[in-house]
Amino acid sequence: MNGGARIADVLQQQGTPCLFTLCGGHISPILTEAKKAGIRIIDVRDEANAVFAADATARLTGRPGVAAVTAGPGLTNTVTALKNAQMAQSPVVLLGGAAATMLKGRGSLQDIDQMAVVKGCVKWAAAVRFVKDLGPVVQRAFEVAAGGVPGPVFVECPIDLLYDEQEVRKWYLAAGGGDKGAASLQKRAMTWYLERHLDRLFHANGGAMPRAPTGVPGPPLGPLVARAAGWIKRAKQPVMVVGSPALSRATEAPALADAIRQLGMPVYLASGARGLLGPSDPLQVRHKRKAALKAADLVILAGVPCDFRLDYGRAIGRRAKVIAAHPSVTQLFKNRVPNLLVPADPGMFIQRLAAAVGPHRGPDEWLESLRARDAERDREIAALAAESAGPTAGDTAESSRKKPMNPLKVCLAVEDAMSDD
């Protein structure tokens, strides 16, 4: 198997349905062999879009999305999308081409210090140096991307590790200026040196496996769940806010929705969690979140850090008990230390919590007051939408310009026309 086939074999084992890319010579064997393995190759117009698409695939499936880009500018074009995936904690595996191992740092085509470029944008990065390491390193990349706090990872695959051995030997010997039969002692020495390098490249047992980040085991969930359950049963004005990390196990979304309903408290859905409960669930509130958080006596943050969206923690009343669940300890401590820290998958925590609490319903008057605020805000929006009717059929071109269309009116009309899904 050439290097491209070794990588394709891992992708197939991982159940990767598609590979996003912008074709380039440095990575062609990966694309060719992945296609032979039945993996769909989706060619985009910009490398950033390849990573954005892999990120979206990860969020929708809960499994790492995969992109492959060529060396140099192919990799640098991905930086914004990589950083986006890192901040969203999306598991993405990025495979990048690179200059030949012998030509690294010598001014080869598109040869740059790629590890320095991606270091601050990924959870883990590894540069492969031997053909036998390609499969194990890519396998490790999938494990790291999805393990602990999910995130993007990068594997650098030099071009001479990917193509067929005979083809690569031809390249090197031609570049060396001859073969063993050449008369020049210098050429014979160069040929011997290159063949020794090639033998190690293709037939070495492999190098040391790059170190992967090690997660710190969190405390047992049982005591944390029990303590949180007691607070929920005593709360008079509880509020839950659910964010994207709660849906990292995408296939468990229905179970998570059922758990939220069982807890029976008002819930705001944020970021990638929007839509989790459908358009008209009685527990879901949409408007005036800051006012609800100020009045609440218990706030559960499921995958939501105290960043700018929560006014750096100041949006929550000082007297409220705060339960925060997040896989990242850094996010748990951001700006405001919660009363109960749960360093775990937020979706799993909510499901465990619902099982401990059992069928529960918070005070009806609290939920009704929040729903009344929702209705009041909807009326305000409708009134704002009616302030300008926009151009009419009888308007002249000049009068039409003086009556621009009200964007709220347009959005409400679109909303009325849309089906529930």
Side-chain angles (χ1 to χ4, degrees):
M1 297 171 70
N2 65 26
R6 290 169 185 263
I7 291 174
D9 190 48
V10 176
L11 300 183
Q12 191 176 42
Q13 290 173 27
Q14 290 290 329
T16 304
C18 54
L19 174 63
F20 299 96
T21 190
L22 195 156
C23 292
H26 285 83
I27 57 168
S28 287
I30 298 176
L31 309 180
T32 301
E33 299 297 338
K35 186 175 181 179
K36 287 180 185 177
I39 297 166
R40 184 182 176 196
I41 306 300
I42 301 176
D43 199 22
V44 299
R45 300 299 185 190
D46 184 278
E47 286 88 356
N49 290 337
V51 177
F52 279 130
D55 181 352
T57 300
R59 298 192 203 195
L60 291 169
T61 65
R63 303 172 69 177
V66 185
V69 299
T70 198
L75 180 70
T76 59
N77 283 345
T78 69
V79 167
T80 297
L82 274 178
K83 194 66 182 179
N84 190 68
Q86 183 189 48
M87 296 191 70
Q89 296 170 359
S90 292
V92 171
V93 174
L94 176 62
L95 306 171
T101 52
M102 181 70 78
L103 299 177
K104 196 74 174 165
R106 298 182 63 191
S108 178
L109 175 67
Q110 298 178 183
D111 178 23
I112 62 171
D113 185 352
Q114 300 188 142
M115 304 301 280
V117 171
V118 302
K119 186 178 179 181
C121 301
V122 296
K123 181 180 176 182
W124 180 72
V128 185
R129 291 292 174 260
F130 303 100
V131 173
K132 284 189 177 180
D133 285 340
L134 283 168
V137 171
V138 174
Q139 180 72 40
R140 176 71 64 88
F142 273 89
E143 295 167 359
V144 174
V149 180
V153 298
F154 173 65
V155 179
E156 183 180 80
C157 308
I159 186 171
D160 51 350
L161 271 59
L162 298 177
Y163 282 82
D164 293 333
E165 180 178 354
Q166 288 183 337
E167 185 71 19
V168 175
R169 286 185 179 276
K170 287 180 184 177
W171 297 347
Y172 270 88
L173 293 176
D179 55 29
K180 288 180 179 178
S184 165
L185 178 61
Q186 182 180 6
K187 286 184 179 181
R188 289 202 301 273
M190 176 62 76
T191 299
W192 174 86
Y193 178 74
L194 291 175
E195 287 193 335
R196 183 170 177 270
H197 176 78
L198 288 164
D199 288 341
R200 291 185 67 244
L201 205 68
F202 284 98
H203 302 295
N205 290 326
M209 183 65 67
R211 292 181 61 185
T214 54
V216 178
L221 267 186
L224 301 177
V225 168
R227 191 176 176 193
W231 289 358
I232 289 173
K233 291 175 181 178
R234 293 190 295 271
K236 302 298 182 186
Q237 296 183 170
V239 171
M240 184 188 305
V241 188
V242 182
S244 302
L247 284 165
S248 62
R249 303 165 187 253
T251 56
E252 296 182 16
L256 175 59
D258 289 343
I260 290 171
R261 294 186 181 105
Q262 184 158 312
L263 289 171
M265 68 177 65
V267 60
Y268 289 90
L269 300 176
S271 304
R274 291 190 180 101
L276 177 63
L277 299 179
S280 56
D281 192 283
L283 290 176
Q284 183 178 179
V285 281
R286 297 172 292 113
H287 298 307
K288 308 208 175 195
R289 184 174 71 182
K290 188 178 290 188
L293 292 172
K294 279 290 185 188
D297 61 358
L298 175 66
V299 176
I300 299 178
L301 301 177
V304 180
C306 286
D307 59 13
F308 71 97
R309 289 165 290 190
L310 297 183
D311 196 17
Y312 308 100
R314 294 191 295 266
I316 302 171
R318 287 187 173 274
R319 296 183 179 179
K321 280 189 168 71
V322 179
I323 301 169
H326 204 288
S328 168
V329 175
T330 303
Q331 297 297 331
L332 285 174
F333 281 97
K334 185 165 284 185
N335 297 312
R336 175 170 176 163
V337 180
N339 301 86
L340 185 63
L341 297 97
V342 184
D345 179 277
M348 180 180 66
F349 172 69
I350 294 299
Q351 291 180 59
R352 291 277 299 273
L353 191 56
V357 172
H360 176 75
R361 186 162 180 89
D364 287 338
E365 59 272 17
W366 169 240
L367 176 59
E368 289 308 315
S369 71
L370 297 183
R371 291 180 65 79
R373 289 178 185 172
D374 263 17
E376 178 188 358
R377 179 59 181 153
D378 284 336
R379 287 192 293 271
E380 290 174 1
I381 292 171
L384 289 168
E387 284 184 359
S388 171
T392 62
D395 286 335
T396 64
E398 181 62 28
S399 63
S400 291
R401 281 195 292 272
K402 294 179 180 179
K403 294 168 65 178
M405 183 65 73
N406 186 323
L408 282 175
K409 187 178 182 69
V410 175
C411 290
L412 287 176
V414 171
E415 184 180 41
D416 289 340
M418 287 194 301
S419 61
D420 283 348
D421 65 356

